Amino acid sequence: MALQSIVAIPGNQQPQLVEPISPAPVSAGEVICETVYLGVCGTDREILHAATPHVPHGEGQLVLGHECLARVIEVGDGVSEVQPGDLVVPAVRRPITDLRTEGIDEFKMNRRPDMMPWGAYVERGIVWEHGFSLPRWIDRPEFLYHVPESIKEVAILSEPISVSEKAVREAEQTQAARLGASEWHDNPPRVLVTGMGPIAFAAVICCRARGWDVTVYGRDNDDTFRAGLVREFDATFVNADSLDFTPQSVEEDGFELILECTGNDQVMMQAAGLLAGCGVMVWLGASRLPKIREFDVNQIMRNAILGNHLYLGTVNNAPQDMQSAIDHLGCLNARYGMTIGKMITERVDPADSLWHYTNREPQGIKTIVCYAGLT
Ligand code: BGC
């Protein structure tokens, strides 16, 4: 069967398969890519669940797919950065450069795309521009990151890893500004990652690449596949019943860096009790349709003030984070390549992919949709 696109339609929570849009002939400065693999992500599921996809202007559907490994098929005149046959990972977020941004402060428009305000950017497959669940598509070379052949089997994980890279880098840079550059260098932070999904495992990868000790908190039992995978990364797994959220001494038993990847407010509130003095908690997970709940945050505020705690939200990635993700996959390949590969828990064809856009396997981490072979 011919390869189809997976789309989200306003008012419909179910993804649909449609005939793909064919790319126009390549123009000067452009590149034609073919999708090799697509990653299915929590954001895709949330877009569908909310049933209000941000479709491109004047269109009735959004082509999904923002995590992509692609091969360059053809390049237009003047393109020298990539060549046919190269493996690439495309950037998700790009600045809008036309009149649609009228009214947005000019200085905010000059920021890096991941720091731009809503309305100033598109995200392929998420916000106002089609994604990559297409056999072929057009892009510009400045949005493509070259992937070495040595990591081709796991390079589809580059984008989610880059999101965690940004979180870790922002924590590092902020702490360096507050505490001095040598603090985390000479005295590596103890890290707690909350969650066992793809972003949590990506966070483990980013921290292990820096040589940091990592504890992962999740609801799994000790003997599950995912708990085993945490240990394969030489990290410690603690399940929900065994982590003491109110230790006697948070300085002795707490963490300098907490990477909150569940998007669950209750877990976040509990984990806050484990933040050591001058610690930082980065929020990476969020729900698109948050439930309104009431919590007593007084204690957290008091601890944050007295302990110089920092709470940081991060989204998307800077170009350097995508590059770090690709570089770290390369550095870790010898030691953890097999383990990283196990994060890909399911491979499906586009025609069989729809279930994965609305469901998850209980022990699943990343499902990939296979468009073309990796020869
Ligand atoms: C993507 C990011 C994106 C974010 C918000 C995530 O799933 O990986 O690139 O910025 O969603 O739309």
Side-chain angles (χ1 to χ4, degrees):
M1 197 213 271
L3 294 168
Q4 290 178 299
S5 289
I6 302 145
V7 301
I9 298 174
N12 191 340
Q13 290 186 318
Q14 298 303 315
Q16 307 291 320
L17 287 168
V18 299
E19 283 311 305
I21 314 157
S22 301
V26 71
S27 302
E30 290 180 342
V31 177
I32 294 193
C33 296
E34 80 171 357
T35 296
V36 177
Y37 295 150
L38 266 194
V40 181
C41 144
T43 302
D44 297 313
R45 296 189 185 102
E46 290 203 337
I47 290 171
L48 287 159
H49 182 66
T52 52
H54 301 296
V55 300
H57 183 67
E59 297 195 32
Q61 61 190 27
L62 173 71
V63 174
L64 292 172
H66 58 278
E67 296 175 7
C68 178
L69 173 69
R71 197 177 284 284
V72 174
I73 296 296
E74 200 180 335
V75 300
D77 285 348
V79 173
S80 56
E81 299 88 334
V82 289
Q83 53 187 30
D86 283 355
L87 282 175
V88 292
V89 174
V92 173
R93 190 178 287 195
R94 295 107 190 272
I96 296 177
T97 46
D98 61 31
L99 292 175
R100 283 177 288 172
T101 57
E102 255 175 28
I104 298 179
D105 286 342
E106 206 178 316
F107 70 90
K108 291 185 183 165
M109 292 296 304
N110 289 328
R111 289 182 188 161
R112 222 170 53 199
D114 61 303
M115 293 299 198
M116 281 181 169
W118 177 257
Y121 60 82
V122 295
E123 287 188 335
R124 288 201 63 165
I126 305 177
V127 182
W128 299 334
E129 206 160 286
H130 291 312
F132 306 109
S133 68
L134 290 164
R136 292 191 174 197
W137 38 274
I138 286 197
D139 215 328
R140 299 189 63 85
E142 61 266 34
F143 298 124
L144 301 174
Y145 293 83
H146 190 262
V147 166
E149 290 277 326
S150 59
I151 59 159
K152 63 185 179 184
E153 298 294 343
V154 288
I156 183 61
L157 300 170
S158 303
E159 205 279 336
I161 295 175
S162 71
V163 168
S164 295
E165 283 289 349
K166 174 176 172 182
V168 172
R169 179 185 54 74
E170 292 237 313
E172 272 180 314
Q173 290 182 343
T174 314
Q175 293 299 76
R178 299 201 305 164
L179 306 173
S182 60
E183 174 99 4
W184 276 13
H185 184 262
D186 298 346
N187 193 17
R190 293 167 294 177
V191 185
L192 175 68
V193 172
T194 54
M196 302 187 81
I199 290 294
F201 276 98
V204 172
I205 290 174
C206 300
C207 294
R208 296 299 299 135
R210 288 163 171 81
W212 296 346
D213 284 344
V214 183
T215 299
V216 175
Y217 161 88
R219 293 209 182 101
D220 280 24
N221 292 326
D222 273 338
D223 58 358
T224 64
F225 158 71
R226 295 189 308 185
L229 205 60
V230 168
R231 290 188 284 270
E232 278 191 37
F233 278 111
D234 298 309
T236 305
F237 173 70
V238 282
N239 92 329
D241 299 327
S242 40
L243 187 61
D244 180 4
F245 282 113
T246 49
Q248 287 255 305
S249 164
V250 87
E251 290 312 312
E252 268 171 44
D253 301 319
F255 299 90
E256 282 76 32
L257 173 61
I258 300 181
L259 297 164
E260 204 304 295
C261 302
T262 67
N264 180 305
D265 45 6
Q266 202 155 5
V267 172
M268 189 286 283
M269 296 280 290
Q270 288 181 314
L274 290 173
L275 210 49
C278 294
V280 47
M281 184 191 297
V282 192
W283 298 340
L284 292 98
S287 165
R288 216 176 172 196
L289 296 171
K291 291 193 188 76
I292 311 268
R293 286 206 269 224
E294 271 185 31
F295 284 111
D296 179 4
V297 292
N298 287 329
Q299 193 62 46
I300 287 179
M301 288 169 70
R302 187 170 164 76
N303 290 347
I305 290 167
L306 297 180
N308 289 297
H309 292 165
L310 181 68
Y311 290 87
L312 196 64
T314 63
V315 66
N316 197 249
N317 48 54
Q320 72 185 96
D321 303 316
M322 190 68 106
Q323 197 52 55
S324 299
I326 293 168
D327 294 347
H328 283 156
L329 281 174
C331 308
L332 296 179
N333 205 17
R335 185 156 171 200
Y336 295 122
M338 295 274 280
T339 305
I340 296 171
K342 289 184 193 171
M343 287 168 60
I344 300 171
T345 43
E346 201 101 31
R347 290 166 193 271
V348 290
D349 290 330
D352 301 322
S353 68
L354 299 188
W355 183 87
H356 296 267
Y357 281 88
T358 46
N359 298 276
R360 292 170 203 265
E361 294 285 359
Q363 285 293 308
I365 299 175
K366 179 61 68 185
T367 295
I368 65 171
V369 186
C370 304
Y371 271 82
L374 245 190
T375 45

